[in-house]
Amino acid sequence: MLLKYFTFLSLIFVNVLAEEKDVVELTDDTFSHELERLENTLVMFYAPWCGHCKRLKPEYAKAAEMLLGNDPPITLAKVDCTESGKDSCNKYSVSGYPTLKIFSRGDFVSDYNGPREAAGIAKYMKAQVGPASKELSGEACLKSFLDSDEVSVVGFFEKEDSALATSFHAVSKKLKEKVRFAHTTAKSLLEKEGHKNAIVLYRPKILQNKFESNTVEYVESMGDIQEFINKNYFGIAGVRTRDNEREFKNPLVVAYYAVDYVKNPKGTNYWRNRIIKVAKDFPKLNFAISSKDDFQHELNDFGIDFVKGDKPVVLARNANNQKFVMKDEFSVDTFEAFLKDIEAGTLEPYLKSEPIPEDNTGDVKIGVARNFDEIVTNNNKDTLIEFYAPWCGHCKKLAPIYDELGEKLATEDVEIVKFDATANDVPAPYEVRGFPTLYWAPKNSKNNPVKYEGGRELDDFIKYIAKHATNELKGFDRKGKTVKPKSDEL
């Protein structure tokens, strides 16, 4: 049994080494020398105890493997900021982990602001060090370029300095981190492909289907090249990931299931093709497929804790960001009916909300999604709203001060409200990106709330509210100083 245990440990150790073997380990002694030797390098400054670093490491190692043999060469390296690389980390002002920076022959180029998964890291780095558009000299080059699992855009030009070619190269420089570009002026290739002055978007083989063309051609009469690429890049139903999710705009319909083009491309496309079959008839809506595991947080926002079985779960947001859940089990027919109901506006939006409190008579009112209009929007009072998270340390520190504020202003024409933004949908036009977030909503301008950026002591709140209240407070003047009741002025 003991022998089996040590064998198991040794296998783990070998696997770890295998994952890390393509990443160069740097120290203060080797940092400058190694980077000067290497043509293009992405360096991860890390701390061994850092959770984000631990999550990034396997993706970083995979990216290093994917970049082997790239032309021009790209190396991925790492340096431990807590031990042998302290001086190097200090030199480049590393204050958080992981921090990634790009170098060329020892010179710092830029901070890395790209994706944090393997394919995204590799794609981003290729865009940084190579030309925005690869020149193709013949048929073999085109075939090799298109042998990819990514969308590719190729410009075919009779003259390299034509207006279309110039516009193409300008767009390729803008979009090089997202799109693979190539171009050619080779007459033999232009004749064989049948394009003289055109730009062609090629869908990768893995995403091709019978419901949309494998290629989309742009000609000058279409107008903006970048708009053409953005419109056609994802096709009828794009593969939406954590790295590209912001590129998908409302109104958006997303099918969540076991999307995995590495381990199960056939099964992934089985459902995607059924989605496309219906989606092609609804051009006013945008569509995507997403991994149910990668987007569990979105499923939670729609009240779904777990996706059972293989069939997709379909969720949608309309142009106003209202949420809708397809309640029926997925089929071509139920999906089509759901989309028709969305376009007709006959579905009731899903609202994530805690129950409305049975007793809400406290000095600080409790807001939830289902009573927000009553407690805030239509209360005919100036309102200060705190959007908080129960686990947030700053929120806990603010709580007693906020309660005291409610007590101080209990008789004023002002409502003090708290709202758990983790358990309730935050209504528009409020935006919450951190906790606590506070807004001031004047009673005559509830559609234009103002983000509160002042201090968080009791006096800070009172001075702010006294100054901005629609009607002057009874107990405080406009500067926030206490006003004595008239009965005391004898």
Side-chain angles (χ1 to χ4, degrees):
M1 184 69 185
L2 188 61
L3 179 60
K4 288 183 178 180
Y5 175 74
F6 281 112
T7 302
F8 174 70
L9 284 182
S10 64
L11 284 172
I12 293 177
F13 182 68
V14 169
N15 285 335
V16 170
L17 285 178
E19 289 179 356
E20 298 283 346
K21 67 181 175 63
D22 299 315
V23 177
V24 176
E25 181 80 45
L26 300 175
T27 67
D28 288 334
D29 293 335
T30 63
F31 192 90
S32 297
H33 173 73
E34 281 295 299
L35 291 189
E36 287 172 5
R37 184 180 66 82
L38 298 169
E39 189 171 338
N40 303 288
T41 312
L42 176 63
V43 179
M44 175 172 68
F45 298 85
Y46 75 98
W49 45 259
C50 160
H52 293 297
C53 303
K54 292 176 182 177
R55 285 190 288 274
L56 177 59
K57 271 192 171 184
E59 295 296 324
Y60 198 69
K62 289 178 191 174
E65 183 180 3
M66 294 169 70
L67 290 168
L68 291 175
N70 189 75
D71 183 19
I74 301 172
T75 303
L76 267 57
K78 62 182 181 179
V79 56
D80 183 350
C81 292
T82 67
E83 292 293 341
S84 57
K86 286 183 180 180
D87 292 342
S88 300
C89 296
N90 290 334
K91 179 180 178 180
Y92 290 97
S93 303
V94 175
S95 58
Y97 309 113
T99 293
L100 291 91
K101 295 178 182 289
I102 302 171
F103 294 81
S104 178
R105 293 293 186 193
D107 294 327
F108 169 70
V109 176
S110 67
D111 289 323
Y112 174 90
N113 297 309
R116 296 295 175 102
E117 48 83 26
I121 294 170
K123 182 176 180 179
Y124 185 95
M125 287 304 298
K126 286 179 180 179
Q128 297 302 309
V129 303
S133 177
K134 181 180 178 66
E135 185 171 6
L136 307 177
S137 58
E139 184 180 350
C141 291
L142 176 62
K143 184 178 180 181
S144 175
F145 182 75
L146 296 180
D147 185 18
S148 169
D149 288 341
E150 298 178 39
V151 171
S152 303
V153 178
V154 181
F156 297 87
F157 310 115
E158 286 187 306
K159 296 181 179 180
E160 180 61 40
D161 59 352
S162 68
L164 183 61
T166 301
S167 298
F168 170 85
H169 287 298
V171 171
S172 70
K173 290 175 182 176
K174 289 174 66 176
L175 299 182
K176 67 177 185 177
E177 292 171 8
K178 170 187 173 182
V179 184
R180 300 176 73 246
F181 288 96
H183 65 279
T184 184
T185 55
K187 290 184 179 180
S188 59
L189 193 52
L190 267 61
E191 291 174 0
K192 186 175 188 308
E193 294 298 313
H195 304 298
K196 289 187 177 181
N197 283 294
I199 298 168
V200 182
L201 182 147
Y202 292 84
R203 305 197 193 286
K205 186 175 181 180
I206 199 169
L207 297 181
Q208 293 175 7
N209 59 84
K210 65 181 180 181
F211 302 108
E212 59 186 337
S213 175
N214 296 337
T215 62
V216 188
E217 182 177 351
Y218 169 93
V219 291
E220 290 183 87
S221 60
M222 289 183 176
D224 188 81
I225 297 172
Q226 184 171 338
E227 184 179 334
F228 161 80
I229 294 172
N230 289 338
K231 180 180 178 181
N232 294 285
Y233 186 83
F234 292 112
I236 295 174
V239 182
R240 181 169 167 268
T241 67
R242 296 294 295 271
D243 286 330
N244 69 16
E245 60 182 298
R246 292 184 181 180
E247 296 177 37
F248 291 82
K249 307 300 181 184
N250 292 344
L252 178 63
V253 181
V254 183
Y256 300 83
Y257 60 102
V259 174
D260 191 335
Y261 276 103
V262 176
K263 296 179 180 178
N264 188 18
K266 186 175 180 180
T268 300
N269 276 334
Y270 176 85
W271 292 114
R272 181 174 182 263
N273 289 341
R274 278 151 183 75
I275 291 158
I276 291 174
K277 181 180 181 180
V278 179
K280 64 181 173 57
D281 297 324
F282 293 85
K284 293 180 180 179
L285 300 174
N286 300 314
F287 295 86
I289 61 171
S290 286
S291 164
K292 61 182 181 180
D293 293 334
D294 291 345
F295 285 89
Q296 183 59 52
H297 62 289
E298 287 189 352
L299 293 164
N300 291 343
D301 282 342
F302 284 77
I304 299 172
D305 296 326
F306 179 70
V307 177
K308 299 178 181 178
D310 297 329
K311 292 186 176 181
V313 167
V314 178
L315 309 175
R317 291 180 185 265
N318 64 13
N320 297 322
N321 207 36
Q322 291 177 304
K323 301 191 292 189
F324 301 91
V325 178
M326 191 178 100
K327 297 178 180 178
D328 296 323
E329 185 176 72
F330 181 89
S331 71
V332 168
D333 292 336
T334 57
F335 186 44
E336 183 177 17
F338 175 68
L339 298 181
K340 286 180 178 178
D341 287 341
I342 287 179
E343 289 200 330
T346 58
L347 290 178
E348 181 180 350
Y350 170 80
L351 195 62
K352 179 183 177 182
S353 178
E354 294 178 294
I356 296 176
E358 294 182 8
D359 179 13
N360 208 0
T361 57
D363 296 329
V364 176
K365 297 293 184 287
I366 300 171
V368 299
R370 294 192 184 281
N371 75 354
F372 194 85
D373 285 346
E374 175 191 350
I375 296 297
V376 176
T377 309
N378 302 321
N379 65 5
N380 199 33
K381 290 184 177 183
D382 295 331
T383 307
L384 182 71
I385 314 109
E386 178 204 4
F387 295 94
Y388 72 95
W391 44 259
C392 161
H394 293 295
C395 304
K396 292 176 182 178
K397 182 179 179 181
L398 178 60
I401 299 171
Y402 208 66
D403 288 340
E404 189 175 356
L405 177 65
E407 183 180 344
K408 288 278 188 183
L409 302 181
T411 60
E412 302 287 354
D413 190 29
V414 174
E415 202 77 275
I416 307 300
V417 177
K418 62 181 181 180
F419 184 100
D420 182 351
T422 67
N424 300 274
D425 281 338
V426 176
Y430 300 89
E431 289 188 4
V432 177
R433 301 187 184 279
F435 302 108
T437 295
L438 293 102
Y439 276 93
W440 173 252
K443 68 178 180 179
N444 297 325
S445 186
K446 290 294 172 71
N447 291 329
N448 296 292
V450 178
K451 192 172 182 180
Y452 175 82
E453 302 283 9
R456 293 181 181 176
E457 297 298 331
L458 180 63
D459 286 347
D460 297 322
F461 286 119
I462 288 177
K463 287 178 181 178
Y464 180 93
I465 293 172
K467 179 180 178 180
H468 293 90
T470 303
N471 301 315
E472 189 169 343
L473 302 180
K474 292 177 286 186
F476 302 88
D477 65 18
R478 284 295 185 183
K479 293 183 178 180
K481 294 182 179 180
T482 303
V483 175
K484 293 182 179 180
K486 290 184 179 181
S487 57
D488 293 344
E489 296 176 358
L490 299 174

